[in-house]
Amino acid sequence: MALIAAFPMYDRPELRGASARLWSEIRARLHNAPDALSYPESLWDLWQSPDLYLSQTCALPFRAQLHERVTLVGTPDYGLEGCQPGYYNSVIVVRRDDPRRRFVDYRNAILAFNEPLSQSGWGALWDHAKAHGFAFTDLLQTGAHVSSARAVVAGDADLAALDAQSWRLMQRYDAWAKGLRVIEWTKPTPGLPLITARANEAPRIADAVNEAILALATGDRDTLGVKALIKIPCDAYMALPLPDFPDEKPRKDVSKA
C-alpha cells in the first residue's frame, strides 16, 4: 500500500520548498507516513482514496460529499484578518479602475468563479449575494482562484470571490494583482480542513501536524502563512447551508488542469 499525502489547496511553486520542509517535520513525528508530498492531478481521487494519509480539502466538498467518507484531522489557522483562528473568508475583487463602488451595483455583472464546489469561490459569494437580495446568473467558470482573478483583470469578468489566503499569496507573488481592488468581504466560516482516510488515527496525526507547524522555521511558517492547527468540530462545518448550484452551463469554461 502506497500512502498518499498532499497539500493541494494553496500550492504554488514559491511555496513548495516550505511545504516539503513542513512535511519533513510532520513525517518525523509519524513514522508510517509517506516519504514525500504528492501532487496528484485529480483532487477527488485523492480525497476519496483509501490510501489517503493526509490532505487539505475545501470546506464545501467536505460538508457536501466527503464528511461521511473521511475523518476530520483539524483546520490550519492562517491568521487572517477579521477571522477567528481556523476560520477564513473570501475577498470580493473587481478591477481597480471599475467605477462601480457598491456590491449591489454588480448584480447583473459577469462573475468569475473557480468551480461550484468551492466554498470561497462560489458558496460564500452565493450566501453574500442572497443576503443582498439577488443571485448571479452570468457566470464564467475558470477552474482556479488565480484564473478567476486574472479573468477580472483581463476584462473577461467583472468580479470574483477569492479565498483570503489565496488573495494574500497573489498580492505577494503576482504583479498583475495590483490591477484589482477589494470591494467587500464575506463572513468568516470554518477554513480548509485537513482530512485522512477512515482507517487512520486522526488524533495522532493532528498532534503531529500541530507540533510540526510550531517546530517549523519562522521563515517557512511566514511563507506558508500557517500559525497552528485548530480543532474545529465537524458540526461547525455541517451547520452551514449548502448553496444553490448553477442551473445552466456557464457562458464559457476557461478552466485548466
Side-chain angles (χ1 to χ4, degrees):
M1 179 177 64
L3 295 174
I4 307 167
F7 294 146
M9 302 311 291
Y10 296 120
D11 181 43
R12 298 183 57 116
E14 301 92 344
L15 273 58
R16 286 196 173 184
S19 293
R21 288 186 286 275
L22 173 59
W23 181 250
S24 293
E25 291 285 353
I26 295 171
R27 187 176 179 277
R29 294 162 173 79
L30 297 166
H31 300 297
N32 62 331
D35 290 339
L37 292 173
S38 298
Y39 297 91
E41 292 185 4
S42 171
L43 294 183
W44 282 102
D45 287 348
L46 165 70
W47 295 333
Q48 298 178 94
S49 173
D51 298 330
L52 174 65
Y53 193 82
L54 186 65
S55 179
Q56 191 170 29
T57 186
C58 179
L60 183 49
F62 176 74
R63 70 180 191 272
Q65 297 187 26
L66 294 173
H67 67 279
E68 294 182 341
R69 306 177 190 179
V70 301
T71 300
L72 177 65
V73 173
T75 305
D77 173 34
Y78 293 94
L80 296 169
E81 184 177 355
C83 298
Q84 67 192 77
Y87 278 57
Y88 80 142
N89 59 1
S90 298
V91 295
I92 302 173
V93 298
V94 301
R95 281 183 301 283
R96 183 166 294 281
D97 60 358
D98 193 314
R100 289 170 284 190
R101 295 292 160 181
R102 302 180 303 158
F103 177 67
V104 294
D105 294 336
Y106 290 84
R107 66 173 61 237
N108 297 315
I110 301 171
L111 168 68
F113 73 107
N114 53 343
E115 62 167 292
L117 270 175
S118 168
Q119 172 61 22
S120 53
W122 176 258
L125 190 62
W126 170 85
D127 187 62
H128 195 77
K130 183 179 179 182
H132 285 79
F134 69 96
F136 289 101
T137 57
D138 202 349
L139 307 174
L140 174 68
Q141 185 168 327
T142 69
H145 281 308
V146 168
S147 300
S148 296
R150 292 190 74 118
V152 177
V153 171
D156 295 326
D158 298 305
L159 77 165
L162 310 175
D163 174 310
Q165 171 64 5
S166 295
W167 172 238
R168 186 159 68 178
L169 294 172
M170 289 179 217
Q171 290 179 292
R172 183 192 301 172
Y173 295 117
D174 299 320
W176 50 260
K178 293 183 174 63
L180 298 170
R181 61 181 171 87
V182 177
I183 192 169
E184 277 191 20
W185 293 258
T186 65
K187 66 184 180 183
T189 56
L192 280 64
L194 296 181
I195 57 172
T196 188
R198 286 283 190 177
N200 297 324
E201 299 178 51
R204 188 168 67 92
I205 296 173
D207 289 343
V209 171
N210 192 53
E211 290 173 9
I213 291 171
L214 298 179
L216 196 62
T218 301
D220 285 339
R221 270 205 316 274
D222 290 345
T223 295
L224 298 173
V226 68
K227 309 297 182 184
L229 190 72
I230 307 300
K231 295 181 179 180
I232 298 176
C234 185
D235 288 350
Y237 287 93
M238 302 309 298
L240 298 174
L242 293 177
D244 293 335
F245 298 109
D247 293 328
E248 301 176 359
K249 184 176 177 60
R251 60 159 55 207
K252 177 168 66 168
D253 189 331
V254 295
S255 53
K256 59 181 181 180

